[in-house]
Amino acid sequence: MPEQLTLYLHKVSTHSQKVEMALLEANAPYKGYQVDLFNKPEWFTSKVNPVGKVPAVAYGGPDVDPEDPSPLSAKIIESNVILEFVADLYPDSGLLPKDPVLRANVRFFIDAITKHVQEPVYAFLQGLESYENVLKGIEFIQGLLDEGREFAIGDHYTIADACIIPHIAKLKIVTETDIGKFPVGMGYKLGEELKGPKFAKFMKYVERMLERPSFKQTHDEESVITVFKRLFAGRVQ
Ligand SMILES: N[C@@H](CCC(=O)N[C@@H](CS)C(=O)NCC(=O)O)C(=O)O
């Protein structure tokens, strides 16, 4: 029986959302604590995550106030590590398949998300790279999906699905609002490209995933837009 789990998160953090979605998909009990990333409490870096980032998990130990973390709980950081940890805690959740080949496929998919989605999307948002790199990355990921299959890997929701969707949900907001440091209009243009037949398989997969309660429960579009406007102010015109 898993022990107490406290998830330190922020409501617009993509990496936090990945972990929270996995916990919800596993029906795992957990305590969520919103860390104010713009005014970080001292105890968070001294007692939970020395690098001061969310998500972070305090697992086990006594059931304490999240603002007074116990030295007896294990502190686990790095979202992709936490995803695997949650899958290990709940082996029957299907978050990681039992079959070794499928497990390898899930891990490959997650690795590909970092290289082909996270990095190009962030570079585009920062105005450092064109959206072409985002499209190339999505094309690579689309190549890993099977037509007609509901999930990224196998026939069950896995941590691969939890890992990619928060990135794509943010990208969708960018294509609908044009918020980012890229030249004006490029967000909308990227959105138009993604609506084309070339990306139909990927977009159908995304639409299915955005309907899941685990996504809807953890997605706060208004807050994302507010924070993005603050983060990406001062764009190139
Ligand atoms: N590689 C880390 C990245 C975590 C990360 O960058 N978290 C951001 C929010 S999405 C954060 O806490 N930023 C606050 C800061 O750096 O001060 C992971 O995957 O967990």
Side-chain angles (χ1 to χ4, degrees):
M1 182 70 186
E3 300 177 43
Q4 83 75 30
L5 190 155
T6 302
L7 171 64
Y8 293 89
L9 72 160
H10 187 276
K11 61 184 171 188
V12 310
S13 153
T14 306
H15 298 292
S16 300
Q17 193 182 8
K18 286 155 50 173
V19 172
E20 197 169 25
M21 283 170 56
L23 287 164
L24 289 170
E25 290 283 347
N27 282 319
Y30 68 98
K31 208 187 286 178
Y33 179 91
Q34 296 281 342
V35 178
D36 182 351
L37 293 180
F38 296 102
N39 185 19
K40 235 177 266 167
E42 186 282 327
W43 56 259
F44 182 64
T45 21
S46 61
K47 294 186 181 168
V48 181
N49 184 356
V51 295
K53 289 183 189 289
V54 291
V57 157
Y59 179 74
D63 189 5
V64 292
D65 177 352
E67 293 185 6
D68 187 19
S70 166
L72 298 177
S73 59
K75 310 301 184 303
I76 297 157
I77 57 171
E78 280 300 324
S79 56
N80 292 348
V81 173
I82 304 173
L83 284 178
E84 292 232 13
F85 178 68
V86 173
D88 284 344
L89 287 180
Y90 295 93
D92 296 330
S93 65
L95 282 174
L96 254 182
K98 305 250 188 262
D99 175 69
V101 173
L102 290 178
R103 288 167 83 86
N105 291 346
V106 166
R107 291 176 172 129
F108 181 81
F109 196 94
I110 288 176
D111 184 66
I113 292 163
T114 306
K115 293 174 188 148
H116 297 281
V117 178
Q118 183 183 319
E119 289 170 8
V121 166
Y122 191 70
F124 172 61
L125 280 173
Q126 289 291 346
L128 302 172
E129 280 179 23
S130 82
Y131 71 74
E132 290 298 334
N133 289 345
V134 175
L135 292 176
K136 272 189 215 150
I138 288 179
E139 200 177 345
F140 181 88
I141 297 289
Q142 178 170 255
L144 303 177
L145 300 173
D146 274 348
E147 194 77 61
R149 198 176 60 196
E150 190 173 349
F151 302 102
I153 306 294
D155 56 7
H156 199 280
Y157 188 98
T158 66
I159 53 175
D161 301 300
C163 190
I164 190 168
I165 289 307
H167 291 292
I168 303 302
K170 297 278 176 4
L171 188 64
K172 186 167 176 276
I173 291 175
V174 169
T175 64
E176 288 165 357
T177 60
D178 208 43
I179 300 170
K181 282 197 171 176
F182 43 77
V184 175
M186 289 301 120
Y188 293 139
K189 201 149 182 256
L190 171 61
E192 287 309 311
E193 296 268 6
L194 286 172
K195 281 184 201 146
K198 186 170 177 187
F199 298 102
K201 182 169 59 160
F202 180 77
M203 294 309 281
K204 270 192 213 151
Y205 161 73
V206 170
E207 271 168 38
R208 283 195 298 276
M209 292 299 121
L210 296 184
E211 284 306 311
R212 294 185 77 81
S214 63
F215 170 74
K216 291 188 171 174
Q217 244 178 280
T218 54
H219 187 61
D220 180 347
E221 184 147 338
E222 222 173 278
S223 299
V224 173
I225 291 174
T226 305
V227 171
F228 271 22
K229 279 186 178 158
R230 184 170 170 179
L231 287 178
F232 302 118
R235 72 192 300 170
V236 180
Q237 293 297 317

